[in-house]
């Protein structure tokens, strides 16, 4: 818990900055737009309809869509900007709709009276209509504020640090204290912002400047706190930190911290770890130079990035060819394999395997139509799965995609009969699962490899030399042990990586 709380100021400030910025954009766009629509009614249906459609898009999908959309425009596509745009779009509807509703609810007789005493339409709007509509508009802002703070937790997979780091990381490593910290902090932040908006609105309503000033002062303090991550953007060494990316699973967290610590030890350069990136987001971030290095797997690069359908390929030949193509197409350097494979592996409860007399994947064919399979979000869409089903002639009763952290509980409790496990996951042994032999080589090799960006190759070659110190130094048993320390012993990935590197020397 101490380690978790130590990270809270940074994550809280980043989350606050993102939420406040998105809320400000939402207010600046939606209130004037609502005023305009209330005056020109023929635009109400298309404008409110567009905002409603945006609201129906799942928030995570909306944020993820921003990454390729911004990349296509040639602007920074990972981190704060895509998250800000996505959250701002998500904040529009409550403010827009309440602005229109509030202005429409003003008694026409009052407006007529204002005109009757000589007010211009502009004076009538600002001195009569908006003050009367203010309670309804503020209600929309409060709703939008709560939504924005809650949705900002989903910005983590697009590379924007937030309280979502606690939630995504905690779910993947089964650290529920981390999930709790993220949820509680997010809820408290939403309540604070909602309360400050209420204080300001009451001050305006009562024409109490002290009350309004109190609310504004609260927001000013929050804004100052939100900018604190920007203050140490460059460390005392004068060097920008080397950014190491991590995907959304335990092993990736550990290896990212190992790469970061190795770099700091060997070069003295500062580093930072950007956790819980989506799979394609991590690679795209490396290509664009928004992260400097991360660990990926040869099979993933081969099929998902390079689009190669051939899975029956020699392990070393795949590494050489993948390295050549990554360099040629993206300028990315495949530094080296770390020394272990983490392959997809089909695993089932040992007693079920005995009942079905299954030791190899092909043994499942006669019973496949009665077997329910669980896999991560990508598994059933990947070329490797098509290779497995076609090579062994398998047609299962059901395929269920789920979060990787839930797959093992799903098979343990009998909710699925077979899972697409990861071969270095310590829970295979802990849950007494049997990994079925892939005797026909349907699954490609999955060597864990270090990738570095073209920018790092050019600007910091000594970092690459430091990372070579990890080449071939981690075998599969060691990786399972490290994963188990996080997943079962509830240690922090950074601490596990630190201890591993100390033992390595």
């Amino acid at each position: 818990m101490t380690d978790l709380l130590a990270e809270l100021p940074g994550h809280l400030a980043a989350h606050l900055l993102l939420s406040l910025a998105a809320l400000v954009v939402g207010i600046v766009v939606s209130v004037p737009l609502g005023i305009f629509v209330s005056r020109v009614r023929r635009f109400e249906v298309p404008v409110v309809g567009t905002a409603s459609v945006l609201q129906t898009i799942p928030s995570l999908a909306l944020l993820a869509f921003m990454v390729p959309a911004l990349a296509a425009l040639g602007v920074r596509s990972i981190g704060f900007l895509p998250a800000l745009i996505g959250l701002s779009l998500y904040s529009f509807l409550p403010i827009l709709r309440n602005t229109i509703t509030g202005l429409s609810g003003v008694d026409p007789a009052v407006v007529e009276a204002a005109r009757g005493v000589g007010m211009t339409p502009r004076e009538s709007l600002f001195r009569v209509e908006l003050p009367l509509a203010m309670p309804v508009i503020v209600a929309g802002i409060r709703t939008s504020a709560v939504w924005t703070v809650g949705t900002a937790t989903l910005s983590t997979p697009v590379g924007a640090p937030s309280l979502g780091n606690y939630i995504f990381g905690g779910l993947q490593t089964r650290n529920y204290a981390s999930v709790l910290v993220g949820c509680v902090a997010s809820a408290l932040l939403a309540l604070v912002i909602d309360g400050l908006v209420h204080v300001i609105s009451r001050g305006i309503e009562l024409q109490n400047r002290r009350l309004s000033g109190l609310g504004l002062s609260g927001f000013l303090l929050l804004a100052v706190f939100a900018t604190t991550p920007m203050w140490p953007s460059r460390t005392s060494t004068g060097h920008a930190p080397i950014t190491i990316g991590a995907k959304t699973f335990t092993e990736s967290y550990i290896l990212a911290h190992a790469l970061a610590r190795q770099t700091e030890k060997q070069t003295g350069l500062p580093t930072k770890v950007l956790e819980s990136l989506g799979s394609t987001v991590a690679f795209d971030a490396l290509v664009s130079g928004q992260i400097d290095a991360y660990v990926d797997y040869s099979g993933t690069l081969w099929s998902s990035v390079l689009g190669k359908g051939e899975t029956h390929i020699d392990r070393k030949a795949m590494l050489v060819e993948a390295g050549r193509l990554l360099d040629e197409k993206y300028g990315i350097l495949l530094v080296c394999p770390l020394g272990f494979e983490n392959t997809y592996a089909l695993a089932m409860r040992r007693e079920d395997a005995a009942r079905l007399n299954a030791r190899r994947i092909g043994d499942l064919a006669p019973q496949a139509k009665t077997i329910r399979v669980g896999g991560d979000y990508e598994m059933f869409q990947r070329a490797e799965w098509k290779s497995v089903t076609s090579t062994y002639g398998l047609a299962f009763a059901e395929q269920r995609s789920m979060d990787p952290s839930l797959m093992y509980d799903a098979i343990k409790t009998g909710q699925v009969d077979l899972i697409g496990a990861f071969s270095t996951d310590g829970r295979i042994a802990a849950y007494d699962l049997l990994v079925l032999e892939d005797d026909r080589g349907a699954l490609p090799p999955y060597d864990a490899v270090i990738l570095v960006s073209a920018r790092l190759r050019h600007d910091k070659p000594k970092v690459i030399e430091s990372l070579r110190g990890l080449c071939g130094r981690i075998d599969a048993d060691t990786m399972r042990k490290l994963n188990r320390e996080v997943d079962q012993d509830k240690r922090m990935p950074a601490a596990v990586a630190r201890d591993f590197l100390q033992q390595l020397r």
Side-chain angles (χ1 to χ4, degrees):
M1 183 59 81
T2 303
D3 291 336
L4 291 175
L5 295 179
E7 297 175 350
L8 184 58
H11 290 324
L12 184 60
H15 193 104
L16 182 57
L17 180 63
L18 194 53
S19 301
L20 289 180
L23 187 59
V24 168
V25 172
I27 294 171
V28 168
V29 172
S30 300
V31 172
L33 192 58
I35 293 172
F36 170 74
V37 169
S38 69
R39 294 295 191 267
V40 189
R41 286 290 181 177
R42 66 176 180 276
F43 288 109
E44 180 173 353
V45 172
V47 170
V48 175
T50 301
S52 299
V53 168
L54 289 172
Q55 200 74 40
T56 63
I57 300 173
S59 45
L60 186 57
L62 182 62
L63 289 169
F65 174 75
M66 289 299 135
V67 175
L70 292 175
L73 296 174
V75 298
R76 195 174 181 84
S77 59
I78 306 294
F80 185 82
L81 184 58
L84 173 64
I85 295 174
L87 290 175
S88 298
L89 292 175
Y90 226 64
S91 71
F92 286 169
L93 184 61
I95 306 173
L96 175 65
R97 181 166 282 167
N98 277 38
T99 301
I100 297 171
T101 302
L103 290 172
S104 301
V106 176
D107 190 340
V110 175
V111 177
E112 189 64 28
R115 303 283 172 82
V117 297
M119 288 188 182
T120 64
R122 181 184 178 85
E123 289 172 330
S124 172
L125 173 67
F126 285 99
R127 297 177 63 179
V128 177
E129 296 171 64
L130 278 177
L132 290 174
M134 189 59 67
V136 181
I137 297 173
V138 168
I141 293 173
R142 293 176 66 179
T143 300
S144 181
V146 173
W147 284 8
T148 302
V149 172
T151 308
T153 57
L154 300 178
S155 62
T156 295
V158 298
S162 71
L163 294 170
N165 285 47
Y166 284 117
I167 298 171
F168 281 90
L171 288 174
Q172 295 304 319
T173 60
R174 300 172 64 78
N175 185 342
Y176 297 116
S178 177
V179 177
L180 186 63
V181 169
C183 292
V184 170
S186 178
L188 290 176
L189 183 59
L191 290 174
V192 169
I193 292 178
D194 179 61
L196 290 174
V197 174
H198 177 67
V199 168
I200 293 173
S201 69
R202 286 292 293 167
I204 295 173
E205 184 180 339
L206 300 173
Q207 296 186 337
N208 185 330
R209 292 186 178 181
R210 179 174 294 180
L211 197 58
S212 299
L214 182 65
L216 289 172
S217 298
F219 269 113
L220 182 60
L221 289 175
L222 290 181
V224 170
F225 174 72
T227 60
T228 54
M230 300 177 181
W231 298 352
S233 57
R234 286 182 177 271
T235 67
S236 58
T237 64
H239 296 285
I242 305 297
T243 304
I244 311 294
K247 295 186 183 182
T248 56
F249 53 93
T250 301
E251 186 169 294
S252 191
Y253 298 147
I254 297 170
L255 294 174
H257 283 285
L259 263 58
R261 197 165 186 85
Q262 174 77 359
T263 299
E264 288 180 358
K265 282 271 188 182
Q266 298 298 319
T267 68
L269 294 172
T271 64
K272 69 175 181 181
V273 174
L274 202 55
E275 294 184 338
S276 301
L277 298 173
S279 183
T280 56
V281 170
F283 185 80
D284 290 343
L286 190 73
V287 172
S288 62
Q290 294 173 66
I291 64 173
D292 296 302
Y294 81 105
V295 173
D296 213 323
Y297 300 88
S298 56
T300 300
L301 296 167
W302 186 254
S303 61
S304 298
V305 174
L306 299 172
K308 298 290 185 181
E310 174 58 53
T311 58
H312 302 274
I313 183 169
D314 177 73
R315 183 176 173 183
K316 290 184 179 177
M318 176 183 280
L319 280 174
V320 171
E321 183 63 5
R324 185 186 70 78
L325 291 173
L326 288 171
D327 185 16
E328 186 177 291
K329 290 186 174 182
Y330 305 104
I332 287 174
L333 176 64
L334 191 160
V335 178
C336 63
L338 287 169
F340 70 93
E341 279 191 272
N342 183 5
T343 70
Y344 271 116
L346 296 187
M348 63 192 322
R349 292 182 296 275
R350 194 171 293 278
E351 59 270 27
D352 288 346
R355 178 172 53 79
L356 298 174
N357 193 28
R359 290 186 301 105
R360 299 180 293 265
I361 296 176
D363 295 335
L364 298 177
Q367 305 291 335
K369 290 187 177 177
T370 66
I371 294 174
R372 301 162 298 170
V373 190
D376 64 21
Y377 302 125
E378 303 175 27
M379 177 174 157
F380 300 120
Q381 319 247 339
R382 296 175 66 125
E384 300 95 308
W385 181 248
K386 293 175 184 170
S387 173
V388 168
T389 53
S390 62
T391 299
Y392 293 100
L394 301 174
F396 292 106
E398 184 182 359
Q399 296 178 180
R400 297 173 62 183
S401 295
M402 61 185 73
D403 191 277
S405 64
L406 302 178
M407 287 193 308
Y408 295 89
D409 285 335
I411 194 168
K412 180 183 178 183
T413 57
Q415 297 180 61
V416 295
D417 307 303
L418 184 73
I419 60 170
F422 308 111
S423 61
T424 55
D425 199 312
R427 287 170 289 188
I428 291 176
Y431 288 12
D432 195 26
L433 303 179
L434 178 70
V435 174
L436 301 177
E437 182 184 350
D438 177 24
D439 56 307
R440 298 181 196 171
L443 292 166
Y446 277 89
D447 280 283
V449 296
I450 301 173
L451 301 179
V452 301
S453 67
R455 183 171 63 85
L456 193 69
R457 293 175 71 176
H458 181 266
D459 295 345
K460 301 279 192 314
K462 65 178 181 180
V463 173
I464 297 172
E465 289 309 309
S466 74
L467 294 177
R468 291 190 193 282
L470 295 174
C471 296
R473 303 295 299 276
I474 309 175
D475 60 28
D477 287 338
T478 300
M479 198 65 245
R480 287 191 194 95
K481 174 178 174 294
L482 300 179
N483 286 332
R484 194 164 54 245
E485 288 183 33
V486 175
D487 289 332
Q488 292 184 250
D489 301 341
K490 308 304 179 191
R491 298 189 65 203
M492 298 296 289
V496 171
R498 178 199 61 209
D499 293 348
F500 165 71
L501 290 181
Q502 287 176 347
Q503 295 167 10
L504 202 59
R505 293 180 174 82

